[in-house]
Amino acid sequence: AVTAHRAPGRSQPICTIRVTLTSRARASASVVSSQLPSAMSRWQWLSMTGTGSGFAGIVLLLALAGFGVDTLPAFIGPLALLGLGAGMTGPAAISRIIACEPGIEATATSLAGALQMAVSGVTGYALGHYATQSVLHLALALTGLIGVALAAAVVAVRGT
């Protein structure tokens, strides 16, 4: 079956979905689908796992700061976990934003990107200008941000 999705006022489909399963594919899909998450739960898994990875990086950074370790090599592991988490949640969030309202995908992703840059800019300025430069202060600031991200991920996953 072919389903064409048209944006209001457009004569060309914005996307076409074609599904043709053979009996063998249908049988294997039913076996696999009972073992793999659905498309929506994959998004949920990425959101929670990515945010959890970021949270683990922050906890590790806090532990290192608590023990007085403030060398550059000590930053690599925790910040790599934070970067891994951002790499998992960023694309998942953008794909979720795109799927929200057909027809305004570009506007939605542009606004999400602008909001992300604005929050990053304000946070970076505030940390650079007002916070004492130390591993502990960086870890505490990142803990607040990752806490907000974790709360948002939990709310988003429960809302779907």
Side-chain angles (χ1 to χ4, degrees), residues 51-120:
T51 307
S53 172
F55 188 73
I58 298 307
V59 168
L60 184 57
L61 191 61
L62 279 170
L64 290 171
F67 287 113
V69 179
D70 60 357
T71 61
L72 182 60
F75 279 111
I76 293 172
L79 294 181
L81 282 173
L82 185 63
L84 177 68
M88 292 174 80
T89 57
I94 292 297
S95 68
R96 182 73 174 151
I97 290 167
I98 289 171
C100 282
E101 189 66 38
I104 63 164
E105 296 89 353
T107 303
T109 55
S110 295
L111 288 174
L115 181 62
Q116 179 184 8
M117 293 300 123
V119 169
S120 298

Side-chain angles (χ1 to χ4, degrees), residues 36-53 85 88-97 149-160:
L36 293 176
S38 68
M40 184 57 69
S41 62
R42 268 186 254 135
W43 171 82
Q44 293 170 344
W45 181 86
L46 280 170
S47 296
M48 294 305 292
T49 305
T51 307
S53 172
M88 292 174 80
T89 57
I94 292 297
S95 68
R96 182 73 174 151
I97 290 167
L150 187 59
V154 168
V155 167
V157 167
R158 286 187 180 167
T160 56

